[in-house]
């Protein structure tokens, strides 16, 4: 298939590109800079210039493709409303182009706050609807296009997609611990984060493209839940710094922007996804990645 990928040069996007190419797909990547375009071209990827605000470019990429994988997101925590609007506009624009074609349309989504108190499953529906809700309600918007002749599929990623080169949540927590001289967790540290290795996340996207039916929800999750205390202890071991509890009241000051997430309980199951795609996670666990050292070499 000719697959148009937004977020093609991002952390998950770059791994997904490699996975698609290895499976024999023809890939077009959205690139907003010369550097990103050059990196994509070096892999043998066709380049569509533009960004998340360039709706005409995204429409053109979608119109010329057999399938679309939408992984781009602004993740601008200083302007969440703007990020939500951009995400919703992008999904709506792509969906309108694909309507009536039965072409696959995979979008990235998340697991946080879906089911407080228990692991989220693929059966759980997001309560986010409309532009003012999380991610602009883009998951539900995309799935609505399944009723308009689009093979829309939501891929929900674990809060940590880890591996060598990660600059996300775990790398941020390592940076905080290095700066503070202590590796912290919030409260008693019993809250859990689902986790997935980057290679497994890319495999779920590729298999979802090839196998998932319209309206499917997939969970890119390798581990159902790793406790915050375990994460903090692994970081402490890696840096050689003490590990201690941070009160919920002090979390924002101690951790910065990541504090609002590190105290959340975000476990999730991928049992249904594994069964649907005939997939099993094979990448390193979060503990194995932390023990391997790359997170601490910077």
């Amino acid at each position: 298939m000719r697959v148009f990928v937004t977020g093609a040069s991002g952390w998950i996007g770059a791994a997904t590109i490699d996975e698609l190419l290895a499976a024999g797909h023809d890939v077009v990547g959205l690139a907003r800079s010369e550097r990103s375009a050059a990196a994509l071209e070096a892999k043998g990827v066709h380049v569509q210039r533009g960004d998340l605000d360039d709706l005409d470019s995204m429409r053109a990429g979608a119109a010329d493709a057999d399938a679309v994988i939408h992984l781009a997101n602004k993740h601008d925590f200083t302007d969440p409303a703007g990020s939500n609007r951009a995400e919703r506009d992008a999904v709506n624009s792509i969906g309108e182009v694909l309507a009536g074609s039965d072409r696959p349309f995979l979008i990235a989504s998340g697991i946080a706050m879906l089911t407080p108190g228990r692991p989220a499953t693929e059966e759980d529906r997001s309560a986010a609807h409309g532009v003012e809700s999380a991610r602009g309600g883009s998951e539900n918007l995309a799935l609505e296009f399944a009723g308009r002749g689009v093979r829309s599929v939501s891929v929900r990623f674990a809060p940590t997609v880890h591996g060598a080169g990660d600059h996300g949540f775990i790398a941020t927590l390592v940076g905080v611990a290095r700066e503070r001289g202590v590796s912290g967790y919030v409260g008693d540290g019993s809250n859990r984060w689902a986790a997935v290795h980057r290679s497994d996340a890319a495999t779920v996207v590729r298999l979802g493209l090839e196998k998932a039916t319209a309206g499917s929800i997939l969970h890119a999750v390798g581990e159902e839940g790793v406790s915050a205390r375990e994460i903090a202890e692994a970081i402490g071991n890696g840096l050689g710094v003490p590990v201690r509890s941070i009160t919920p009241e002090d979390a924002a000051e101690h951790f910065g922007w990541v504090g609002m997430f590190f105290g959340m309980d975000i476990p999730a199951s991928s049992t249904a996804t594994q069964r649907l795609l005939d997939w099993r996670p094979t990448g390193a666990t979060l503990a194995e990645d932390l023990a391997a050292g790359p997170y601490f070499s910077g």
Side-chain angles (χ1 to χ4, degrees):
M1 279 187 277
R2 184 176 177 88
V3 187
F4 176 52
V5 182
T6 73
S9 57
W11 173 240
I12 298 172
T16 297
I17 291 288
D18 293 342
E19 179 78 14
L20 293 171
L21 291 172
H25 295 290
D26 186 30
V27 182
V28 181
L30 185 70
R32 64 180 178 180
S33 69
E34 292 291 345
R35 182 178 179 180
S36 294
L40 292 174
E41 288 173 342
K43 290 184 175 185
V45 174
H46 308 288
V47 172
Q48 175 76 30
R49 293 302 299 266
D51 59 26
L52 203 57
D53 293 317
D54 189 347
L55 299 181
D56 286 340
S57 181
M58 283 191 289
R59 290 187 189 102
D64 194 38
D66 300 312
V68 177
I69 298 175
H70 175 51
L71 301 174
N73 192 288
K74 288 188 172 182
H75 296 299
D76 184 354
F77 299 117
T78 66
D79 183 19
S83 289
N84 290 347
R85 284 194 301 273
E87 174 67 1
R88 188 173 183 87
D89 288 346
V91 169
N92 193 57
S93 296
I94 294 169
E96 289 290 349
V97 170
L98 300 181
S101 69
D102 197 36
R103 284 179 280 175
F105 178 25
L106 278 69
I107 72 152
S109 190
I111 291 165
M113 297 180 289
L114 270 176
T115 55
R118 67 170 176 83
T121 75
E122 296 87 341
E123 296 294 321
D124 294 309
R125 301 306 294 249
S126 170
H129 294 270
V131 68
E132 295 184 0
S133 59
R135 290 177 176 261
S138 60
E139 176 178 278
N140 282 315
L141 176 61
L143 294 176
E144 287 171 8
F145 278 101
R148 297 180 57 190
V150 179
R151 184 152 66 86
S152 49
V153 176
S154 173
V155 184
R156 294 173 177 165
F157 293 96
T160 174
V161 180
H162 55 86
D166 175 18
H167 295 289
F169 285 150
I170 298 300
T172 300
L173 290 170
V174 171
V176 171
R178 181 180 282 117
E179 179 183 348
R180 296 284 187 175
V182 61
S183 181
Y185 54 87
V186 180
D188 66 3
S190 63
N191 63 294
R192 301 151 292 173
W193 272 13
V196 66
H197 191 269
R198 184 190 188 206
S199 62
D200 286 322
T203 300
V204 169
V205 176
R206 193 259 302 170
L207 290 175
L209 170 72
E210 296 171 348
K211 295 184 177 184
T213 56
S216 295
I217 294 175
L218 307 177
H219 279 190
V221 171
E223 296 178 90
E224 184 172 291
V226 183
S227 77
R229 184 163 187 162
E230 289 178 272
I231 295 171
E233 288 173 345
I235 292 172
N237 287 337
L239 291 175
V241 300
V243 179
R244 69 175 174 86
S245 171
I246 308 299
T247 66
E249 294 77 19
D250 293 333
E253 190 278 330
H254 180 88
F255 293 104
W257 66 267
V258 78
M260 74 176 80
F261 300 104
F262 197 38
M264 291 181 178
D265 191 40
I266 319 176
S269 166
S270 63
T271 300
T273 298
Q274 293 186 42
R275 183 170 57 247
L276 175 66
L277 303 182
D278 191 23
W279 163 75
R280 297 293 180 273
T282 59
T285 65
L286 178 56
E288 289 169 343
D289 259 349
L290 285 167
Y295 278 98
F296 312 110
S297 59

